[in-house]
Amino acid sequence: MGGGDEEIVWRGPLAGFLRPMSVAYFRQAAFITAILYALGGLASVPIAFNLLSVDGARPVAMRFTVAAALGAGLLLKPVLDRVPDQRLPSLGPPIIFFSVFMAVIVVTNALIASGPHLGVVAVYFVETPLLCFVFVQRRWAIAATVGAMVGYGVGLFFVDAVAPVQQLFTVLSSAVASSVLVGTMATRVDDSRREEVRAKAELADLNSHLEQRVADQVDELERAGRLRRFLSPQIADVVTSEGADAMLAPHRRSIAAFFVDLRGFTGFTNSVTAERVMRVLDEYYDAVGSVLDEHGATIGGFDGDGVFAYLGDPVPHPDAARAAVSMAQQVAQSLDRLTAEWSGDGGTVGYGIGLAYGEATLGLVGFAGRADYTPVGAVVNMAARLCSEATHGEIVIDEALRAAAHLEGELQRRDDVDLKGFGLTATYTVHH
């Protein structure tokens, strides 16, 4: 037995007669029983002490009734309070049946002693059925009530000046009806309590599962956060999501490839301190990385002062070519400001950007224990070649990207260049 809401599992030979109930309900019902006993005793006081003149009344017998009823009423609750919850399954049945038995004895004595005075005895008529229907299984409560009433009828037979039979049956029928009603209400109240306990248990179980799910999600977010330090955010999200294997499987898709690197950086590193070199690289990668993140580009890799990225995979982009041009223009604007600051420290630092558009093969490339998700194909090589051809501050694109992005007024045609692996190639400069 763990608490007031726990259901009592009765034990002993009388267990089958009692209906299921919780510890809290049992103690509340016992408290009500004590009040009923006390009320019965108080109702008998006027006759017991000659405060009410009733023909045929026996004050001495009524004093016994008062003492028994008040004694039971005053002692029942304190005695039960001393019984631990763990002992109720075995001690409850005899306590309940003793209470019902005492009620029968007291009411029979009251009947004989009162003359009968139904105004007093009616309290006891109500008490016995009430105890039966609150504590005992319905069929046994009915049997016990009928038996008690038969006993009361036998008692009345030996009393002088017997009350009219109609009046007696009125009291008895009222007692039984009220007892059934109270017993039904009590059953529903206790059933509601048990349902509440079950609901609380289910809620606690759901909360525990929810806490576990939240903890799992927090772990997943932390894992994704750690992955984002080493992988492109898009790749990190795919790795930590369901269906990652399918998304990272080899496939072909049109992408816009982006390359940027610094010009004159080697000479710059020889003329400034190591701390300044690393500070410049930090500023460079912060500027480029923030723009790439803003446009949802996938980072393909870092190579010294070079950055490779692409749009359109693993998350498809509806207009990767046009988005790549806007991204390159924003990177160029950031680097224009930074290269002007860096060149004042010694040496001249510039940058070049190359963009290309076309179909690539994408998937995991590497060996056991180390693999990168990367695009492979002519479009990647074209973007790298165009980046190498770009002069300081220039964004160079190929014909395929120009056509896919529908660029006209923002372009300037450059001289055709002979690119390794591609031959003579038409190139364009994008204004920024």
Side-chain angles (χ1 to χ4, degrees):
M1 306 295 294
D5 290 327
E6 294 291 334
E7 185 171 292
I8 302 174
V9 180
W10 300 114
R11 294 195 295 268
L14 302 175
F17 293 95
L18 303 184
R19 70 178 188 81
M21 65 186 72
S22 65
V23 174
Y25 172 84
F26 176 81
R27 295 195 180 280
Q28 291 170 359
F31 177 65
I32 295 173
T33 301
I35 294 176
L36 288 174
Y37 271 127
L39 289 176
L42 292 174
S44 304
V45 167
I47 297 177
F49 295 94
N50 295 318
L51 301 177
L52 181 66
S53 178
V54 177
D55 293 338
R58 297 169 176 78
V60 174
M62 285 303 295
R63 287 170 191 170
F64 169 78
T65 302
V66 170
L70 289 179
L74 295 175
L75 292 176
L76 183 61
K77 187 176 187 305
V79 169
L80 282 176
D81 286 344
R82 297 177 66 88
V83 178
D85 292 351
Q86 294 81 359
R87 299 291 305 281
L88 286 179
S90 56
L91 294 180
I95 291 174
I96 291 173
F97 278 91
F98 177 76
S99 299
V100 174
F101 177 74
M102 277 293 297
V104 174
I105 296 297
V106 171
V107 73
T108 303
N109 185 77
L111 279 169
I112 297 173
S114 64
H117 187 279
L118 289 182
V120 174
V121 180
V123 175
Y124 299 105
F125 283 162
V126 173
E127 181 176 336
T128 304
L130 196 59
L131 289 177
C132 291
F133 281 95
V134 168
F135 286 111
V136 183
Q137 295 276 12
R138 179 64 60 87
R139 62 183 183 277
W140 299 114
I142 294 173
T145 300
V146 171
M149 294 310 165
V150 170
Y152 304 154
V154 173
L156 285 172
F157 179 79
F158 295 100
V159 175
D160 297 333
V162 176
V165 174
Q166 183 179 1
Q167 186 178 7
L168 175 62
F169 275 99
T170 298
V171 174
L172 293 180
S173 61
S174 299
V176 173
S178 62
S179 300
V180 171
L181 177 62
V182 171
T184 302
M185 291 175 61
T187 301
R188 291 183 178 179
V189 168
D190 211 34
D191 289 344
S192 298
R193 182 190 295 275
R194 284 195 292 271
E195 286 298 325
E196 181 182 356
V197 172
R198 280 194 289 269
K200 287 180 178 178
E202 291 176 1
L203 180 60
D205 184 59
L206 288 175
N207 285 337
S208 65
H209 283 81
L210 179 61
E211 290 174 0
Q212 185 59 47
R213 288 181 60 188
V214 170
D216 292 343
Q217 290 175 351
V218 168
D219 289 342
E220 183 176 328
L221 290 174
E222 290 178 349
R223 186 166 59 253
R226 291 192 296 270
L227 285 172
R228 282 168 178 262
R229 295 181 57 193
F230 306 101
L231 299 175
S232 172
Q234 289 80 3
I235 303 301
D237 291 341
V238 169
V239 169
T240 56
S241 68
E242 295 182 5
D245 292 342
M247 293 186 69
L248 297 180
H251 60 280
R252 294 184 65 81
R253 182 171 293 159
S254 293
I255 63 170
F258 166 95
F259 273 90
V260 60
D261 64 9
L262 295 178
R263 306 296 156 81
F265 188 68
T266 302
F268 176 80
T269 60
N270 293 329
S271 61
V272 297
T273 64
E275 290 78 11
R276 179 58 177 154
V277 170
M278 298 309 296
R279 191 157 57 247
V280 166
L281 283 177
D282 286 343
E283 293 173 353
Y284 167 63
Y285 284 123
D286 282 345
V288 175
S290 62
V291 176
L292 299 185
D293 282 345
E294 181 182 339
H295 287 79
T298 302
I299 306 298
F302 301 93
D303 183 13
D305 56 30
V307 178
F308 166 49
Y310 52 96
L311 288 167
D313 191 87
V315 180
H317 196 291
D319 193 0
R322 182 69 195 186
V325 172
S326 298
M327 181 176 71
Q329 289 173 321
Q330 192 172 338
V331 168
Q333 291 165 6
S334 298
L335 293 182
D336 284 341
R337 175 181 55 80
L338 288 176
T339 53
E341 295 176 3
W342 299 335
S343 296
D345 293 336
T348 300
V349 179
Y351 69 92
I353 298 175
L355 293 176
Y357 183 78
E359 197 171 65
T361 298
L362 299 106
L364 293 173
V365 176
F367 55 89
R370 179 68 172 91
D372 288 326
Y373 180 81
T374 188
V376 177
V379 63
V380 178
N381 295 333
M382 174 64 78
R385 302 280 194 275
L386 295 176
C387 180
S388 298
E389 286 293 325
T391 60
H392 169 51
E394 192 176 24
I395 304 172
V396 181
I397 69 172
D398 67 346
E399 177 65 33
L401 190 137
R402 182 198 69 79
H406 305 290
L407 297 174
E408 296 299 338
E410 302 174 64
L411 297 179
Q412 179 179 340
R413 177 67 185 266
R414 300 171 81 252
D415 293 336
D416 293 349
V417 293
D418 188 10
L419 299 179
K420 182 180 179 181
F422 296 95
L424 201 61
T425 303
T427 61
Y428 301 83
T429 297
V430 178
H431 301 308
H432 61 89

